[in-house]
């Protein structure tokens, strides 16, 4: 009997844990102007949904600070800093967790003061829904508009406009309808897809958890009802697979794995992958965790991937699904929220942190600054703290990214001051600069910039050709070079055969520098080059340099030399094109 009861209790507890693990999670943020009642709303929501512990409630009741008219100041449940309680404002982001039988929630209570707009952007960066508070007695204020704009900029498609302090507006329907119309116009301008307006009184609890009897004219959901039923956005696990490599794990000679956190998508053992930046194709041998191997893994999981092939990858490189590759570019266009007191300066070198990659970056041009009050685009040469602008950037090495609108993880980055290590900006990548410029009229682009357009970067040419440049030395073997030129050209590579005697020493080095900038593969069959010249070429091209004549076993076997050059050409593809080469070779 006792054993049976224990088993029943265990099975019941296991079923409870299973239900809890499978319950949907909604992350939402609160935003609005100062004194709109954000912290009071969150405190009331936690209190009325029975998500406050007794000792927390007792501590709030005993607090010497109470700005409400009742026995409990609900804002103190989230405003925990001494400065917040003394000044009556929210300064830092406060995260709270609670759950109902329908759904689990993580709340980010963000500041309303303009000085702390950067904190609001931080709290909203991971949110699925934004609760924008509107003071029912004041209407839409500049800071309310600013936070609504930032919510739209961060890709939050669901917004709940909570018209608060309806008790001070005497619960009048006309007061609510006017503010609802004003906010719907703003949401339409910002392109916010889904908006729900709810009249509430956070202080009195009207329409927060329980329906208000003092507003019988309102027939929509309460705030909690909407949070429990709003459709969740598409999860990252349904997107293309992206795996930024954080570190290489090699405890012994038998194991070599690449560890990191899956940014988006799902992966199974045996799935094909493309390694960036090399473009090499491989497959997943196994998915390893501390608890053992897994048959599959999805977004937000931290795992170690073992591959079928030996591929050189390091921190900042990426493994992606071959069906949809990310964009690869050193120049891109992004929307930026500037977070620091020192303004953004054009040409100054910062550090950019994008997924697991960190490199140098500089702003080339500010296309415009957004006036959050009118949503007008204004010319600017600097961005001050809390200002939002559209900026063209150039990085030291290429980034692998997706537009923020399609993948929030792969399209976001932060800017760091290299001198102080302070986070100075947050950005959302819209598109590579080259792709944006192709869609614009050159005359309009020239007029808008006040000068010439940004020069074409070599990496943009590489991306268009589909491969990196390289050099193959075939000294004195013109016939073989001609044969290889035709073969590689037919495969779709940009290739040039140089054989004239004037290409010697400095002249030859300068020539191949031009070819490298153009993204061309050079086959050289002229006279014998000096060791100094070869060393300079190797320094210029690093691993993309092949000296066939310098390999003692190759001059006597032309077919072996051809296979050697073919393998070298396959390594130059900028994206995964090896399968195309193999098809043409076969």
């Amino acid at each position: 009997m006792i054993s049976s009861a224990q088993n029943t209790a265990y099975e019941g507890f296991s079923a409870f844990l299973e239900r809890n693990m499978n319950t949907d999670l909604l992350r939402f943020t609160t935003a609005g102007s100062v004194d709109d009642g954000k912290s009071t709303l969150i405190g009331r929501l936690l209190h009325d949904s029975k998500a406050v512990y007794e000792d927390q409630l007792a501590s709030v009741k005993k607090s010497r600070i109470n700005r409400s008219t009742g026995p409990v100041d609900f804002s103190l449940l989230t405003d925990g800093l001494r400065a917040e309680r003394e000044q009556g404002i929210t300064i830092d982001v406060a995260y709270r967790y609670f759950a109902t039988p329908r759904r689990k929630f993580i709340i980010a209570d963000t500041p309303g003061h303009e000085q702390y707009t950067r904190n609001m952007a931080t709290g909203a960066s991971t949110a699925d829904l934004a609760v924008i508070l509107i003071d029912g007695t004041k209407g839409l204020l500049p800071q309310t508009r600013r936070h609504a704009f930032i919510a739209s900029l961060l890709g939050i498609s669901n917004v709940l406009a909570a018209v608060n302090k309806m008790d001070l507006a005497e619960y009048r329907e006309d007061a609510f309808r006017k503010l609802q119309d004003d906010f719907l116009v703003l949401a339409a301008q910002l392109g916010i897809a889904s908006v729900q307006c709810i009249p509430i009184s956070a202080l009195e609890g009207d329409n927060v958890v329980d329906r208000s009897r003092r507003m019988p004219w309102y027939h929509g959901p309460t705030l909690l009802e909407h949070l429990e039923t709003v459709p969740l956005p598409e999860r990252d696990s349904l997107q293309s697979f992206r795996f930024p490599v954080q570190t290489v794990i090699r405890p012994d000679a038998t194991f070599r794995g690449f560890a990191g956190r899956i940014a988006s998508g799902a992966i199974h053992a045996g799935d094909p992958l493309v390694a960036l930046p090399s473009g090499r194709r491989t497959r997943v041998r196994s998915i390893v965790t501390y608890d053992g191997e897994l048959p599959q893994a999805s977004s937000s999981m931290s795992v170690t991937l073992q591959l079928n092939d030996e591929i050189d990858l390091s921190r900042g490189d990426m493994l992606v699904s071959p069906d949809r590759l990310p964009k690869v570019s050193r120049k891109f266009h992004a929307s930026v929220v500037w977070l620091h007191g020192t303004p953004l300066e054009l040409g100054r070198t910062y550090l950019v942190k994008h997924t697991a990659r960190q490199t140098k970056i500089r702003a080339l041009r500010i296309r415009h600054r957004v006036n959050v009050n009118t949503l007008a685009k204004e010319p600017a040469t600097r961005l001050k703290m809390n200002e939002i602008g559209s900026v063209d950037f150039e990085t030291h090495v290429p980034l692998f990214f997706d537009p923020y609108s399609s993948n929030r993880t792969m399209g976001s980055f932060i800017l760091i001051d290299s001198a102080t290590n302070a986070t100075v900006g947050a950005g959302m990548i819209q598109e590579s600069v080259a792709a944006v410029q192709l869609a614009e009229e050159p005359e309009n682009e020239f007029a808008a910039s006040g000068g010439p357009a940004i020069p074409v970067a070599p990496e943009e040419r590489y991306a268009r050709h589909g491969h990196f440049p390289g050099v193959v030395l075939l000294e004195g073997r013109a016939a073989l070079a001609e044969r290889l030129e035709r073969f590689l050209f037919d495969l779709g590579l940009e290739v040039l055969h140089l054989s004239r005697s004037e290409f010697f020493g400095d002249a030859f080095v300068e020539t191949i520098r031009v070819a490298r900038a153009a993204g061309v593969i050079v086959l050289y069959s002229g006279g014998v080059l000096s060791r100094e010249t070869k060393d300079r070429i190797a320094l210029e091209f690093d691993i993309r340099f092949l000296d066939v004549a310098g390999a003692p076993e190759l001059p006597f076997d032309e077919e072996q030399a051809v296979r050697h050059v073919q393998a070298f050409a396959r390594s130059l593809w900028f994206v995964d094109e090896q399968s195309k080469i193999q098809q043409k070779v076969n």
Side-chain angles (χ1 to χ4, degrees), residues 320-332:
V320 301
S321 53
D323 56 333
R324 188 177 178 186
L325 297 171
K327 298 183 182 298
V328 182
S329 181
R330 287 178 56 236
K331 295 187 178 182
F332 56 86

Side-chain angles (χ1 to χ4, degrees), residues 16-152:
F16 168 76
L17 289 178
E18 184 69 22
R19 286 196 305 271
N20 187 65
M21 290 292 292
N22 294 327
T23 303
D24 289 335
L25 172 65
L26 175 71
R27 299 174 181 266
F28 71 93
T29 182
T30 60
S33 190
V34 179
D35 293 331
D36 280 347
K38 297 177 296 300
S39 298
T40 300
L41 171 62
I42 298 305
R44 169 64 74 174
L45 182 63
L46 295 173
H47 177 270
D48 289 5
S49 62
K50 306 299 187 291
V52 179
Y53 293 112
E54 291 184 1
D55 59 336
Q56 290 178 299
L57 189 59
S59 175
V60 169
K61 288 180 178 180
K62 293 178 181 178
S63 175
R64 62 181 178 84
I65 300 173
N66 188 340
R67 293 175 296 275
S68 70
T69 57
V72 179
D73 184 351
F74 292 107
S75 69
L76 300 183
L77 290 172
T78 55
D79 289 342
L81 298 178
R82 175 181 293 181
E84 291 178 325
R85 296 191 174 196
E86 291 177 349
Q87 299 179 50
I89 62 173
T90 301
I91 295 176
D92 202 358
V93 182
Y95 292 95
R96 292 293 182 269
Y97 169 86
F98 77 103
T100 68
R102 290 185 176 183
R103 187 171 278 177
K104 295 181 290 188
F105 303 93
I106 295 178
I107 316 168
D109 180 25
T110 62
H113 196 281
E114 181 178 357
Q115 179 182 351
Y116 304 110
T117 298
R118 59 190 183 277
N119 300 58
M120 182 270 164
T122 302
S125 61
T126 58
D128 304 315
L129 177 143
V131 177
I132 307 291
L133 270 81
I134 305 170
D135 190 324
T137 62
K138 298 178 182 178
L140 272 63
L141 300 175
Q143 191 68 348
T144 311
R145 295 177 180 272
R146 182 189 301 270
H147 287 168
F149 178 73
I150 293 176
S152 68

